[in-house]
Amino acid sequence: SSFYFTRCPEEMNEKDLWVHFRKWGQVQEIFISKYRNKGGRRYGFVRFSGVMDVRRLERQLDNLIIGGMKL
């Protein structure tokens, strides 16, 4: 299951985000684009494997705050 995220703090990289996302399940891959979205913000994708309840994980990730910013 892949999830799109934005508002990633500037100082964060894939390795830093891995630590945060692994709390929610088995992380398979994290990608942060070198480009910006239309709003000028960093964005990326996280892929989890073995997700049993995608909707539940989506709700949990929707409340994720990293570096004082809500992703």
Side-chain angles (χ1 to χ4, degrees):
S1 300
S2 294
F3 294 91
Y4 169 84
F5 63 86
T6 188
R7 297 192 62 185
C8 178
E10 294 292 330
E11 65 276 1
M12 290 285 205
N13 60 30
E14 285 94 347
K15 190 175 181 180
D16 297 329
L17 289 174
W18 198 285
V19 173
H20 291 281
F21 283 123
R22 74 177 179 191
K23 296 174 188 174
W24 305 110
Q26 185 177 353
V27 177
Q28 193 169 2
E29 180 182 19
I30 295 178
F31 168 77
I32 299 174
S33 176
K34 62 182 178 180
Y35 302 105
R36 304 285 175 141
N37 66 13
K38 289 182 181 182
R41 296 182 176 155
R42 294 176 75 199
Y43 70 94
F45 299 89
V46 58
R47 185 184 323 171
F48 292 92
S49 61
V51 176
M52 299 302 230
D53 189 345
V54 175
R55 295 256 187 229
R56 181 172 180 236
L57 178 57
E58 181 180 19
R59 285 190 305 271
Q60 291 172 331
L61 292 175
D62 190 43
N63 295 313
L64 185 60
I65 297 174
I66 299 176
M69 297 179 76
K70 183 179 179 201
L71 258 58

